[in-house]
Amino acid sequence: MRTQVGIVGAGPAGLMLSHLLHLLGIESIVIENRSREYCEARIRAGLIEQWACDLLRETGVGARMQQEGIYHEGIKLRFGGALHRIDFKQLVGKGVTIYGQQEIVKDLIAARLSAGTQILFEVEDVTVHDLDGKKPKIRFTHAGKEDEIGCDFIGGCDGFHGICRPSIPDGVLTAYDRDYPFGWLGILSESPPPDDELIYCYHERGFALYTMRSPALARLYFQCAPDTDIENWSDKRIWEELHLRLGGARKLAEGKILQKGITPMRSFVTEPMQHGRLFLAGDSAHIVPPTGAKGMNLAFADVRVLSRAIGEFYRTAKSEPLDRYSETVLPRVWKAQRFSWWMTQLLHRFPHESAFDRRRQLAELDYLATSRAAATTLAENYTGLPMA
Ligand code: FAD
Ligand code: DHB
């Protein structure tokens, strides 16, 4: 098989890269080691920055998001026994949209397939080769047969546990990372969310977040120990914890739990995000803790730059934008890292924190609730920094 860009991974990064390339008249093939059903059912992100919503709409894959997504003009912070609203619209004139990542994945897969792009699901034994030359290759097994894609460029969009990043020779990449001493237990529940806006709760039992997927579907998370075994959390115990951490600020309706899982928390960046003709995008190059909801948005920001650089290469034969890909995207990556770390350290309990640390967190929350300058910084980052 031959194509212009071979893409490993059919998550938000890989599918959006293929979509944007298609709009530039550039061919790609996407390979994915999971089934289509699995990719379309994988429950993850839910919050889309305003520029990313515009991108989905402007590139023709935003129709269902426009219909079913829920636009939010603010969030609520709960601390010190009260709710405090941060009004994004008033502060920065922007908002965010709640629309499940798996719905975006469904919309992108449908668009790719209807445009005739090949997505090969359930591939195995994926390896990448000849990254330093002009004709890199992807080898894999599909439907029991060994196969190869010859291409001009490889999009390494295979997430944090993928094979692309580890295929780059030793000594090329520098990793910057931080682990957090907690995780999130998350559920999707067939019940109305407690508020029509997201509530971020600072609580002595630990952080909790009350978000949603629709007026009848709540998405609820709370901070837990990093080695938590989900089997030890009965539905009854989960609801008790969620009630306690919401602290009576709103009534929390219980419902059937449709999905539950534990998310580890990590900050990670690799520099550079490229080697030869392999370009990493999304979680394969960086991971943020979920507080602040930056992961999928960053994946879209990466592939927007990458698709344009590849487009420039085919249009003008200039490789300079591609050579500068890492340099171009890393400033945004690091600002999202900083923001995600900041939200995380502000709202969570840490094992070795002191009484001083708790007082400092409360002072910062109070500052956010009472200072327009502080709230504007939060609003500007949360709704998405401007795209170049
Ligand atoms: P992935 O979604 O991981 O996609 C990679 C794809 O590659 C997968 O389909 C995988 O199966 C495939 N793959 C892996 N290895 C191989 C291989 N060897 N061969 C072929 N295919 C392979 N982000 C936000 O922006 N907003 C949020 O609200 C938000 N909330 C989150 C809440 C939770 C609980 C979690 C876990 C994450 C959240 N995120 C959020 C982060 C977001 O989900 C990720 O950043 C996003 O999925 C990254 O997309 P990606 O395409 O880079 O990687
Ligand atoms: C969601 C997840 C987040 O991590 C966040 O900060 C906001 C919303 C969500 O899944 O809806």
Side-chain angles (χ1 to χ4, degrees):
M1 267 185 263
R2 218 210 106 71
T3 191
Q4 289 174 294
V5 183
I7 298 175
V8 187
L15 292 167
M16 181 58 95
L17 177 61
S18 174
H19 176 59
L20 296 177
L21 289 173
H22 169 75
L23 297 178
L24 295 170
I26 298 164
E27 251 182 40
S28 63
I29 298 177
V30 182
I31 62 164
E32 162 63 49
N33 62 1
R34 300 288 193 159
S35 66
R36 177 174 179 183
E37 294 68 36
Y38 183 93
C39 293
E40 292 187 341
R42 187 166 38 196
I43 294 171
R44 280 187 166 181
L47 191 134
I48 316 172
E49 293 174 1
Q50 180 139 345
W51 75 269
C53 286
D54 297 342
L55 177 74
L56 290 164
R57 258 194 306 266
E58 284 160 13
T59 64
V61 284
R64 211 158 60 86
M65 178 196 67
Q66 185 111 1
Q67 284 274 313
E68 298 171 22
I70 313 173
Y71 186 66
H72 288 247
E73 296 188 345
I75 54 166
K76 297 193 174 91
L77 300 175
R78 173 158 168 93
F79 65 93
L83 284 175
H84 306 264
R85 182 161 192 267
I86 307 284
D87 188 331
F88 299 151
K89 192 76 184 175
Q90 200 191 78
L91 293 164
V92 292
K94 291 200 280 186
V96 293
T97 298
I98 287 282
Y99 184 63
Q101 173 169 325
Q102 78 279 16
E103 304 305 323
I104 297 185
V105 164
K106 279 183 208 162
D107 297 342
L108 284 169
I109 289 176
R112 300 309 333 107
L113 295 177
S114 77
T117 299
Q118 277 195 72
I119 308 178
L120 306 177
F121 289 99
E122 298 180 76
V123 301
E124 290 175 294
D125 307 324
V126 179
T127 51
V128 291
H129 303 268
D130 303 337
L131 306 178
D132 288 318
K134 290 195 169 167
K135 296 284 166 204
K137 294 175 192 66
I138 307 173
R139 297 204 180 106
F140 54 95
T141 307
H142 187 233
K145 278 205 239 124
E146 286 181 15
D147 213 331
E148 179 180 290
I149 298 174
C151 49
D152 300 329
F153 302 103
I154 298 177
C157 303
D158 50 350
F160 185 67
H161 301 288
I163 57 94
C164 287
R165 190 181 68 252
S167 304
I168 295 177
D170 287 350
V172 172
L173 303 180
T174 304
Y176 300 86
D177 63 349
R178 164 181 292 232
D179 283 333
Y180 296 86
F182 40 76
W184 279 12
L185 191 156
I187 64 165
L188 184 70
S189 163
E190 222 166 37
S191 50
D195 193 270
D196 56 5
E197 292 188 323
L198 276 65
I199 306 179
Y200 286 81
C201 284
Y202 176 84
H203 194 275
E204 63 187 32
R205 297 180 67 85
F207 171 69
L209 170 61
Y210 300 77
T211 167
M212 66 207 65
R213 288 296 174 269
S214 76
L217 267 188
R219 179 80 168 135
L220 310 170
Y221 302 100
F222 60 83
Q223 175 184 353
C224 60
D227 53 357
T228 296
D229 182 352
I230 192 84
E231 295 307 319
N232 293 334
W233 282 87
S234 65
D235 292 3
K236 182 167 172 287
R237 189 170 167 218
I238 291 174
W239 284 113
E240 276 168 13
E241 197 61 41
L242 285 165
H243 283 295
L244 282 171
R245 295 199 195 183
L246 188 56
R250 288 282 182 273
K251 195 172 164 314
L252 178 65
E254 294 183 17
K256 184 173 164 204
I257 296 182
L258 303 175
Q259 186 260 355
K260 59 180 172 181
I262 311 273
T263 305
M265 308 275 281
R266 185 184 287 128
S267 300
F268 172 88
V269 182
T270 188
E271 290 189 18
M273 289 169 49
Q274 65 196 89
H275 175 66
R277 293 238 171 169
L278 169 64
F279 295 87
L280 304 175
D283 279 14
S284 72
H286 41 70
I287 293 276
V288 288
T291 337
K294 290 287 164 237
M296 179 174 60
N297 292 293
L298 266 190
F300 287 153
D302 289 352
V303 299
R304 185 169 171 272
V305 173
L306 182 56
S307 60
R308 288 179 177 195
I310 294 174
E312 189 72 5
F313 176 86
Y314 284 115
R315 221 166 40 84
T316 65
K318 279 199 202 121
S319 66
E320 203 243 335
L322 273 171
D323 299 340
R324 288 172 41 82
Y325 166 66
S326 303
E327 243 174 273
T328 309
V329 294
L330 277 164
R332 186 180 186 89
V333 168
W334 275 110
K335 286 185 198 101
Q337 287 290 346
R338 182 208 69 81
F339 178 70
S340 306
W341 161 83
W342 173 79
M343 286 275 282
T344 302
Q345 61 80 35
L346 175 66
L347 291 161
H348 289 75
R349 292 214 67 167
F350 286 75
H352 302 296
E353 71 196 7
S354 64
F356 178 91
D357 295 325
R358 297 289 285 168
R359 287 284 193 281
R360 181 200 47 85
Q361 285 174 321
L362 278 167
E364 188 153 11
L365 285 162
D366 188 40
Y367 181 43
L368 283 169
T370 55
S371 155
R372 191 180 171 96
T376 304
T377 303
L378 168 61
E380 184 186 30
N381 283 277
Y382 195 98
T383 57
L385 293 172
M387 287 295 292

